[in-house]
Amino acid sequence: MTTLEDAISRSQHRSWLSRIASQQLFWIFIAAIVACLTLSLITDTFASERNLFNVARNFAFVGIIAIGMTAVIASGGIDLSVGSSVVLSAMVISVLMADGMAFWLAAPMALGAALLVGLLNGVLVAYGGMPPFVVTLGTLSAVRSLAMVLSDNKMIWEFGPDHGLLLWVGGGSTLGVPHPLYVLTVVAIVMSLVFKWTRWGQHVYAVGGNEHAALLTGIPVKRLKVSIYMFSAFCAGVAGILMAGWLGSVTTNLGQSMELTVIAAAVIGGAKLAGGEGTAIGAVVGALLIEVIRNSLILLGISTFWQGMFIGTFIIIAVAFDRIRHFRS
Amino acid sequence: MTRLVLSGISKSYGAIQALSSVSLVLQPGEVLGLMGDNGAGKSTLVKIIAGNFPPSAGEMRIDGETVVFHKPRDAQRQGIEAVYQDLALCDNLSAASNVFLGREAMRSLGPLKYLNYRRMNEVAADLFRQLKSETRPRDLVRKMSGGQRQAVAIARTLLSQPKIVMMDEPTAAISVRQVKEVLDLIGRLRDHGISVILISHRMPDIFAVADRIAVLRRGELVASKPAAESSPEEVTGLITGAIDAA
């Protein structure tokens, strides 16, 4: 017979091992590790320094945006316009730098342009009461068009006096680690703390879990939603600047259909499209798994046409896993 | 000092008159049992007092001062807390997080402020102990029983040391043992001088705990009298219209 006191103060009724094993993230992480180990054994190119460097850099872009997407999805929304925010940010910085502006001035302008896209999304969703899917579908189209107007649909590959700096920021490496990976690491650590330890993070999950309840408790739901969409656009803006430097040239098809990969990464990493769940680490692991799949298909000599099939299967497996877990409990 | 005075509160939706000129008085530490058939206007009245929407006409006074609420936050600032029928909880958060939602306990580390989970868990555990409910602060609400969810919703209201707590059918979906616990809790709120407005369909619960009984029928207040001077038979008659007014 346990007393009331014991019952209340007992914090958990399961061991830490069974708790970890019930996390989708754990299994996705295992899948990524297994894929990496298998590839290292059956190909001699996967574990090479050059290839790992490429994998690390490529997944960083998707990972950064997927963290922003996770915030949106955890709040019960969706942001389809991230790919367009990427190209707008890249286009603003490259047009301004080609005109002779310094990197340190052009970069904030590019981020500002992306933030305006997020502001528009957020205001239309929160204050306009429109469904996020439709709003961001609209900005997906409108913002890419704006990037075309801005650049006259020309490729830009000369970035003025700070040309070398932009290429270094996006495409360079320090201590053998590509710069985008540093940015991803910082964003992931900061956002993990923000999601878990701040009022903002708590409210994101609350709105995603039960928006009506959040409203009744006096959470400023509308302002919160605007900030969430702005954060997502900010992440896309950062990725846009890094991608401009990495590619060394910017065209208006940059980031095209990237939103699908990003949403896939977030969902595989445990973000729930119905809202209320999702972690920054999950987004990173999801992005990593997608990049490993993509990379392994190339190394194994399988046609890249199969890529969509593998990623699609993983999305469905991830969601099915979530269903099974809920069914059991 | 009278805690709450409603005078001539009316609410209409287009041609439909949900409430017509309801006047009520609530004393500190008084438990008011609000009864009526479905559609009699109980929920509308509670939502007006909780600040969900303003009345079409009428005046509300708390501790002698006229108040006008535009949103639930306004009512909360005046010490009015409501436990809704659907409980308004976030299933994906822990019990303690739900109790503190919107007024989280924070700690400072230099200029940084972060959530004080330890304090929130301790305070929530304390409230659950007061409620004598076996509810673990760290558990997700998704995994909880009806009674535990009720305890979380009631603990929420206690956090702000309210003047008035309104409960919409708190005993509708819980076990017999927990009905007694909830009724005991209402008694404890009264002992602390908190006024309670209790909506329920369960006649025994109302008579077990209410000091005064008010009956609404088709938007009109047909009775407001001490429970000791009434009986379940009379109240049933008032609800159905067999008795005109008392």
Side-chain angles (χ1 to χ4, degrees), chain B residues 72-121:
Chain B
R73 197 75 179 154
D74 298 341
Q76 280 176 11
R77 283 204 191 93
Q78 293 288 339
I80 298 179
E81 293 280 339
V83 180
Y84 294 95
Q85 201 165 6
D86 59 6
L87 300 181
L89 300 175
C90 292
D91 277 1
N92 57 328
L93 300 181
S94 72
S97 291
N98 267 288
V99 169
F100 278 87
L101 198 59
R103 40 194 172 184
E104 292 81 4
M106 305 298 286
R107 289 185 75 169
S108 305
L109 184 74
L112 296 174
K113 278 168 72 176
Y114 63 97
L115 295 174
N116 191 344
Y117 280 107
R118 171 186 251 197
R119 173 163 167 72
M120 290 194 280
N121 285 329

Short mmCIF file of all heavy atoms in Angstrom, two decimals, chain B residues 72-121:
data_model
loop_
_atom_site.label_atom_id
_atom_site.label_comp_id
_atom_site.label_asym_id
_atom_site.label_seq_id
_atom_site.Cartn_x
_atom_site.Cartn_y
_atom_site.Cartn_z
N PRO B 72 -10.78 36.91 -20.82
CA PRO B 72 -10.62 36.14 -19.58
C PRO B 72 -9.53 36.69 -18.67
O PRO B 72 -9.64 36.63 -17.45
CB PRO B 72 -10.27 34.74 -20.08
CG PRO B 72 -10.89 34.65 -21.43
CD PRO B 72 -10.80 36.03 -22.00
N ARG B 73 -8.47 37.24 -19.28
CA ARG B 73 -7.37 37.80 -18.50
C ARG B 73 -7.87 38.88 -17.55
O ARG B 73 -7.40 38.99 -16.42
CB ARG B 73 -6.33 38.37 -19.47
CG ARG B 73 -4.99 38.61 -18.84
CD ARG B 73 -4.27 37.30 -18.65
NE ARG B 73 -2.96 37.50 -18.06
CZ ARG B 73 -2.35 36.55 -17.35
NH1 ARG B 73 -2.94 35.40 -17.15
NH2 ARG B 73 -1.15 36.77 -16.86
N ASP B 74 -8.83 39.72 -18.01
CA ASP B 74 -9.37 40.79 -17.18
C ASP B 74 -10.03 40.21 -15.93
O ASP B 74 -9.86 40.72 -14.82
CB ASP B 74 -10.41 41.61 -17.96
CG ASP B 74 -9.81 42.30 -19.17
OD1 ASP B 74 -8.57 42.46 -19.19
OD2 ASP B 74 -10.57 42.69 -20.08
N ALA B 75 -10.80 39.13 -16.13
CA ALA B 75 -11.49 38.50 -15.02
C ALA B 75 -10.49 37.86 -14.05
O ALA B 75 -10.63 37.96 -12.83
CB ALA B 75 -12.46 37.45 -15.53
N GLN B 76 -9.43 37.25 -14.61
CA GLN B 76 -8.40 36.63 -13.76
C GLN B 76 -7.73 37.67 -12.87
O GLN B 76 -7.44 37.42 -11.72
CB GLN B 76 -7.35 35.94 -14.62
CG GLN B 76 -7.80 34.57 -15.11
CD GLN B 76 -6.79 33.93 -16.05
OE1 GLN B 76 -5.67 34.40 -16.19
NE2 GLN B 76 -7.20 32.86 -16.70
N ARG B 77 -7.49 38.85 -13.44
CA ARG B 77 -6.85 39.91 -12.65
C ARG B 77 -7.72 40.33 -11.48
O ARG B 77 -7.22 40.78 -10.47
CB ARG B 77 -6.58 41.15 -13.54
CG ARG B 77 -5.38 40.94 -14.43
CD ARG B 77 -4.73 42.24 -14.85
NE ARG B 77 -3.77 41.96 -15.91
CZ ARG B 77 -4.08 42.03 -17.20
NH1 ARG B 77 -5.26 42.46 -17.58
NH2 ARG B 77 -3.19 41.71 -18.11
N GLN B 78 -9.04 40.16 -11.62
CA GLN B 78 -9.96 40.51 -10.54
C GLN B 78 -10.19 39.32 -9.60
O GLN B 78 -11.02 39.39 -8.70
CB GLN B 78 -11.31 40.97 -11.11
CG GLN B 78 -11.23 42.28 -11.88
CD GLN B 78 -11.02 43.48 -10.96
OE1 GLN B 78 -11.30 43.43 -9.77
NE2 GLN B 78 -10.49 44.56 -11.51
N GLY B 79 -9.43 38.24 -9.83
CA GLY B 79 -9.52 37.09 -8.93
C GLY B 79 -10.62 36.11 -9.26
O GLY B 79 -11.09 35.39 -8.40
N ILE B 80 -11.05 36.10 -10.53
CA ILE B 80 -12.06 35.13 -10.94
C ILE B 80 -11.39 34.04 -11.78
O ILE B 80 -10.75 34.32 -12.77
CB ILE B 80 -13.18 35.80 -11.76
CG1 ILE B 80 -13.87 36.85 -10.90
CG2 ILE B 80 -14.18 34.76 -12.26
CD1 ILE B 80 -14.98 37.59 -11.62
N GLU B 81 -11.53 32.78 -11.34
CA GLU B 81 -10.94 31.67 -12.07
C GLU B 81 -12.05 30.71 -12.47
O GLU B 81 -13.03 30.55 -11.74
CB GLU B 81 -9.93 30.93 -11.19
CG GLU B 81 -8.68 31.73 -10.85
CD GLU B 81 -7.68 31.75 -11.98
OE1 GLU B 81 -7.76 30.85 -12.85
OE2 GLU B 81 -6.83 32.65 -12.00
N ALA B 82 -11.90 30.10 -13.62
CA ALA B 82 -12.92 29.17 -14.09
C ALA B 82 -12.31 27.83 -14.43
O ALA B 82 -11.20 27.76 -14.97
CB ALA B 82 -13.63 29.74 -15.32
N VAL B 83 -13.00 26.76 -14.07
CA VAL B 83 -12.63 25.41 -14.51
C VAL B 83 -13.66 25.02 -15.56
O VAL B 83 -14.84 24.92 -15.26
CB VAL B 83 -12.67 24.41 -13.34
CG1 VAL B 83 -12.29 23.03 -13.83
CG2 VAL B 83 -11.76 24.86 -12.22
N TYR B 84 -13.21 24.87 -16.81
CA TYR B 84 -14.16 24.63 -17.88
C TYR B 84 -14.50 23.15 -17.99
O TYR B 84 -13.73 22.29 -17.56
CB TYR B 84 -13.62 25.15 -19.20
CG TYR B 84 -13.48 26.65 -19.20
CD1 TYR B 84 -12.28 27.25 -18.87
CD2 TYR B 84 -14.59 27.45 -19.44
CE1 TYR B 84 -12.17 28.63 -18.82
CE2 TYR B 84 -14.49 28.82 -19.39
CZ TYR B 84 -13.27 29.42 -19.09
OH TYR B 84 -13.18 30.77 -19.03
N GLN B 85 -15.65 22.90 -18.60
CA GLN B 85 -16.11 21.52 -18.73
C GLN B 85 -15.10 20.67 -19.49
O GLN B 85 -14.82 19.54 -19.15
CB GLN B 85 -17.45 21.51 -19.44
CG GLN B 85 -18.25 20.25 -19.17
CD GLN B 85 -19.70 20.41 -19.59
OE1 GLN B 85 -20.08 21.42 -20.17
NE2 GLN B 85 -20.51 19.43 -19.29
N ASP B 86 -14.54 21.26 -20.58
CA ASP B 86 -13.53 20.52 -21.33
C ASP B 86 -12.15 20.65 -20.68
O ASP B 86 -11.15 20.20 -21.22
CB ASP B 86 -13.50 20.97 -22.80
CG ASP B 86 -13.19 22.46 -22.94
OD1 ASP B 86 -12.90 23.10 -21.91
OD2 ASP B 86 -13.24 22.98 -24.06
N LEU B 87 -12.09 21.32 -19.52
CA LEU B 87 -10.90 21.46 -18.68
C LEU B 87 -9.79 22.32 -19.27
O LEU B 87 -8.95 22.82 -18.55
CB LEU B 87 -10.32 20.11 -18.27
CG LEU B 87 -11.28 19.20 -17.48
CD1 LEU B 87 -10.58 17.90 -17.13
CD2 LEU B 87 -11.76 19.89 -16.23
N ALA B 88 -9.78 22.53 -20.59
CA ALA B 88 -8.80 23.39 -21.23
C ALA B 88 -7.37 23.07 -20.80
O ALA B 88 -6.65 23.92 -20.27
CB ALA B 88 -9.13 24.86 -20.98
N LEU B 89 -6.96 21.82 -20.98
CA LEU B 89 -5.59 21.42 -20.65
C LEU B 89 -4.82 21.09 -21.92
O LEU B 89 -5.42 20.74 -22.94
CB LEU B 89 -5.62 20.18 -19.75
CG LEU B 89 -6.34 20.32 -18.42
CD1 LEU B 89 -6.38 18.98 -17.69
CD2 LEU B 89 -5.66 21.36 -17.55
N CYS B 90 -3.51 21.21 -21.84
CA CYS B 90 -2.66 20.80 -22.95
C CYS B 90 -2.18 19.37 -22.69
O CYS B 90 -1.36 19.14 -21.80
CB CYS B 90 -1.46 21.73 -23.10
SG CYS B 90 -1.94 23.38 -23.64
N ASP B 91 -2.69 18.43 -23.45
CA ASP B 91 -2.37 17.01 -23.26
C ASP B 91 -0.89 16.70 -23.38
O ASP B 91 -0.40 15.76 -22.79
CB ASP B 91 -3.09 16.18 -24.34
CG ASP B 91 -4.52 15.89 -23.92
OD1 ASP B 91 -4.91 16.34 -22.84
OD2 ASP B 91 -5.22 15.20 -24.69
N ASN B 92 -0.19 17.51 -24.19
CA ASN B 92 1.20 17.20 -24.48
C ASN B 92 2.16 17.75 -23.42
O ASN B 92 3.36 17.57 -23.54
CB ASN B 92 1.58 17.73 -25.86
CG ASN B 92 1.34 19.23 -25.97
OD1 ASN B 92 0.42 19.77 -25.36
ND2 ASN B 92 2.17 19.91 -26.74
N LEU B 93 1.64 18.45 -22.42
CA LEU B 93 2.50 19.01 -21.38
C LEU B 93 2.28 18.27 -20.06
O LEU B 93 1.28 17.58 -19.88
CB LEU B 93 2.21 20.50 -21.18
CG LEU B 93 2.41 21.41 -22.39
CD1 LEU B 93 2.10 22.85 -22.02
CD2 LEU B 93 3.82 21.29 -22.94
N SER B 94 3.23 18.45 -19.13
CA SER B 94 3.12 17.79 -17.84
C SER B 94 2.05 18.48 -16.99
O SER B 94 1.62 19.60 -17.30
CB SER B 94 4.46 17.85 -17.11
OG SER B 94 4.70 19.16 -16.68
N ALA B 95 1.66 17.80 -15.90
CA ALA B 95 0.66 18.37 -15.00
C ALA B 95 1.14 19.71 -14.45
O ALA B 95 0.40 20.70 -14.45
CB ALA B 95 0.38 17.39 -13.87
N ALA B 96 2.40 19.76 -14.01
CA ALA B 96 2.92 20.99 -13.43
C ALA B 96 2.95 22.12 -14.46
O ALA B 96 2.59 23.26 -14.16
CB ALA B 96 4.33 20.75 -12.88
N SER B 97 3.33 21.79 -15.70
CA SER B 97 3.36 22.81 -16.75
C SER B 97 1.97 23.36 -17.01
O SER B 97 1.80 24.55 -17.25
CB SER B 97 3.92 22.24 -18.05
OG SER B 97 5.29 21.97 -17.91
N ASN B 98 0.96 22.50 -16.95
CA ASN B 98 -0.41 22.94 -17.15
C ASN B 98 -0.87 23.85 -16.01
O ASN B 98 -1.53 24.85 -16.24
CB ASN B 98 -1.35 21.75 -17.27
CG ASN B 98 -1.56 21.33 -18.72
OD1 ASN B 98 -2.23 22.02 -19.46
ND2 ASN B 98 -0.94 20.23 -19.10
N VAL B 99 -0.49 23.48 -14.78
CA VAL B 99 -0.88 24.30 -13.63
C VAL B 99 -0.30 25.71 -13.78
O VAL B 99 -0.96 26.70 -13.51
CB VAL B 99 -0.39 23.66 -12.31
CG1 VAL B 99 -0.54 24.63 -11.15
CG2 VAL B 99 -1.17 22.38 -12.04
N PHE B 100 0.92 25.80 -14.29
CA PHE B 100 1.61 27.09 -14.37
C PHE B 100 1.51 27.76 -15.74
O PHE B 100 2.12 28.79 -15.96
CB PHE B 100 3.09 26.91 -14.02
CG PHE B 100 3.36 26.89 -12.54
CD1 PHE B 100 3.27 25.71 -11.83
CD2 PHE B 100 3.68 28.05 -11.85
CE1 PHE B 100 3.50 25.68 -10.48
CE2 PHE B 100 3.91 28.03 -10.50
CZ PHE B 100 3.82 26.84 -9.80
N LEU B 101 0.75 27.16 -16.65
CA LEU B 101 0.71 27.69 -18.01
C LEU B 101 0.30 29.16 -18.04
O LEU B 101 -0.72 29.55 -17.48
CB LEU B 101 -0.26 26.86 -18.86
CG LEU B 101 -0.09 27.00 -20.37
CD1 LEU B 101 1.30 26.59 -20.79
CD2 LEU B 101 -1.12 26.15 -21.10
N GLY B 102 1.11 29.97 -18.70
CA GLY B 102 0.81 31.40 -18.81
C GLY B 102 1.34 32.21 -17.64
O GLY B 102 1.34 33.43 -17.68
N ARG B 103 1.76 31.56 -16.55
CA ARG B 103 2.37 32.27 -15.41
C ARG B 103 3.48 31.41 -14.82
O ARG B 103 3.52 31.13 -13.62
CB ARG B 103 1.31 32.62 -14.38
CG ARG B 103 0.30 31.52 -14.18
CD ARG B 103 -0.93 31.97 -13.42
NE ARG B 103 -1.91 30.88 -13.46
CZ ARG B 103 -3.12 30.96 -12.96
NH1 ARG B 103 -3.52 32.05 -12.38
NH2 ARG B 103 -3.94 29.93 -13.04
N GLU B 104 4.37 30.98 -15.71
CA GLU B 104 5.45 30.07 -15.35
C GLU B 104 6.38 30.68 -14.30
O GLU B 104 6.64 31.89 -14.32
CB GLU B 104 6.27 29.71 -16.59
CG GLU B 104 5.54 28.87 -17.62
CD GLU B 104 4.61 29.67 -18.52
OE1 GLU B 104 4.61 30.92 -18.39
OE2 GLU B 104 3.91 29.07 -19.34
N ALA B 105 6.86 29.82 -13.40
CA ALA B 105 7.87 30.26 -12.43
C ALA B 105 9.22 30.34 -13.15
O ALA B 105 9.58 29.44 -13.90
CB ALA B 105 7.95 29.28 -11.28
N MET B 106 9.93 31.44 -12.95
CA MET B 106 11.19 31.65 -13.65
C MET B 106 12.34 31.78 -12.66
O MET B 106 12.14 32.17 -11.51
CB MET B 106 11.14 32.92 -14.52
CG MET B 106 9.99 33.00 -15.50
SD MET B 106 9.98 31.70 -16.74
CE MET B 106 11.30 32.23 -17.82
N ARG B 107 13.55 31.45 -13.14
CA ARG B 107 14.78 31.73 -12.38
C ARG B 107 15.67 32.58 -13.24
O ARG B 107 15.57 32.55 -14.47
CB ARG B 107 15.52 30.43 -12.06
CG ARG B 107 14.84 29.59 -11.04
CD ARG B 107 15.70 28.40 -10.70
NE ARG B 107 16.81 28.82 -9.85
CZ ARG B 107 17.60 27.95 -9.23
NH1 ARG B 107 17.43 26.67 -9.39
NH2 ARG B 107 18.58 28.37 -8.46
N SER B 108 16.55 33.33 -12.60
CA SER B 108 17.46 34.17 -13.37
C SER B 108 18.88 33.67 -13.24
O SER B 108 19.31 33.25 -12.18
CB SER B 108 17.40 35.61 -12.87
OG SER B 108 16.09 36.07 -12.89
N LEU B 109 19.58 33.69 -14.37
CA LEU B 109 21.01 33.41 -14.38
C LEU B 109 21.63 34.64 -15.04
O LEU B 109 21.65 34.73 -16.26
CB LEU B 109 21.29 32.13 -15.18
CG LEU B 109 22.74 31.64 -15.19
CD1 LEU B 109 23.11 31.03 -13.85
CD2 LEU B 109 22.95 30.63 -16.30
N GLY B 110 22.07 35.58 -14.24
CA GLY B 110 22.50 36.86 -14.81
C GLY B 110 21.33 37.51 -15.51
O GLY B 110 20.25 37.62 -14.93
N PRO B 111 21.50 37.89 -16.78
CA PRO B 111 20.39 38.52 -17.50
C PRO B 111 19.42 37.50 -18.09
O PRO B 111 18.35 37.87 -18.55
CB PRO B 111 21.11 39.28 -18.62
CG PRO B 111 22.36 38.50 -18.85
CD PRO B 111 22.74 37.85 -17.55
N LEU B 112 19.79 36.22 -18.05
CA LEU B 112 18.94 35.19 -18.67
C LEU B 112 17.88 34.70 -17.70
O LEU B 112 18.16 34.49 -16.52
CB LEU B 112 19.80 34.01 -19.12
CG LEU B 112 20.82 34.29 -20.21
CD1 LEU B 112 21.68 33.06 -20.44
CD2 LEU B 112 20.13 34.69 -21.49
N LYS B 113 16.66 34.55 -18.20
CA LYS B 113 15.61 33.98 -17.37
C LYS B 113 15.22 32.63 -17.94
O LYS B 113 15.07 32.49 -19.14
CB LYS B 113 14.40 34.91 -17.34
CG LYS B 113 14.62 36.04 -16.32
CD LYS B 113 13.60 37.15 -16.43
CE LYS B 113 12.22 36.75 -15.94
NZ LYS B 113 11.28 37.87 -15.98
N TYR B 114 15.12 31.64 -17.09
CA TYR B 114 14.71 30.33 -17.57
C TYR B 114 13.68 29.71 -16.63
O TYR B 114 13.52 30.14 -15.49
CB TYR B 114 15.93 29.42 -17.76
CG TYR B 114 16.70 29.12 -16.50
CD1 TYR B 114 16.48 27.95 -15.79
CD2 TYR B 114 17.66 30.00 -16.03
CE1 TYR B 114 17.18 27.66 -14.64
CE2 TYR B 114 18.37 29.73 -14.87
CZ TYR B 114 18.12 28.57 -14.18
OH TYR B 114 18.82 28.29 -13.04
N LEU B 115 12.96 28.71 -17.14
CA LEU B 115 11.87 28.09 -16.40
C LEU B 115 12.40 27.38 -15.15
O LEU B 115 13.39 26.67 -15.21
CB LEU B 115 11.13 27.08 -17.28
CG LEU B 115 10.39 27.65 -18.48
CD1 LEU B 115 9.84 26.52 -19.33
CD2 LEU B 115 9.27 28.57 -18.04
N ASN B 116 11.69 27.59 -14.06
CA ASN B 116 12.08 26.95 -12.81
C ASN B 116 11.22 25.69 -12.62
O ASN B 116 10.25 25.68 -11.89
CB ASN B 116 11.86 27.93 -11.66
CG ASN B 116 12.49 27.45 -10.37
OD1 ASN B 116 12.82 26.28 -10.24
ND2 ASN B 116 12.65 28.35 -9.43
N TYR B 117 11.64 24.61 -13.35
CA TYR B 117 10.85 23.38 -13.33
C TYR B 117 10.73 22.82 -11.91
O TYR B 117 9.70 22.31 -11.52
CB TYR B 117 11.48 22.31 -14.24
CG TYR B 117 11.16 22.51 -15.69
CD1 TYR B 117 12.13 22.97 -16.58
CD2 TYR B 117 9.89 22.24 -16.19
CE1 TYR B 117 11.85 23.16 -17.91
CE2 TYR B 117 9.60 22.41 -17.52
CZ TYR B 117 10.58 22.87 -18.38
OH TYR B 117 10.29 23.05 -19.70
N ARG B 118 11.84 22.94 -11.14
CA ARG B 118 11.85 22.35 -9.81
C ARG B 118 10.77 23.00 -8.94
O ARG B 118 9.98 22.32 -8.29
CB ARG B 118 13.23 22.55 -9.20
CG ARG B 118 13.27 22.16 -7.75
CD ARG B 118 14.59 22.52 -7.17
NE ARG B 118 15.34 21.28 -6.92
CZ ARG B 118 16.40 21.23 -6.12
NH1 ARG B 118 16.86 22.31 -5.56
NH2 ARG B 118 17.00 20.09 -5.93
N ARG B 119 10.72 24.35 -8.98
CA ARG B 119 9.73 25.05 -8.17
C ARG B 119 8.30 24.73 -8.64
O ARG B 119 7.41 24.48 -7.84
CB ARG B 119 9.97 26.56 -8.23
CG ARG B 119 8.89 27.34 -7.55
CD ARG B 119 9.26 28.77 -7.23
NE ARG B 119 8.04 29.50 -6.86
CZ ARG B 119 7.39 29.31 -5.73
NH1 ARG B 119 7.85 28.47 -4.83
NH2 ARG B 119 6.28 29.98 -5.48
N MET B 120 8.12 24.68 -9.98
CA MET B 120 6.79 24.39 -10.51
C MET B 120 6.33 22.99 -10.09
O MET B 120 5.18 22.80 -9.72
CB MET B 120 6.77 24.55 -12.03
CG MET B 120 6.90 26.01 -12.46
SD MET B 120 6.48 26.29 -14.18
CE MET B 120 7.96 25.77 -15.00
N ASN B 121 7.27 22.03 -10.13
CA ASN B 121 6.92 20.67 -9.72
C ASN B 121 6.60 20.60 -8.24
O ASN B 121 5.67 19.92 -7.81
CB ASN B 121 8.06 19.70 -10.06
CG ASN B 121 8.12 19.39 -11.55
OD1 ASN B 121 7.08 19.39 -12.22
ND2 ASN B 121 9.30 19.16 -12.07
#
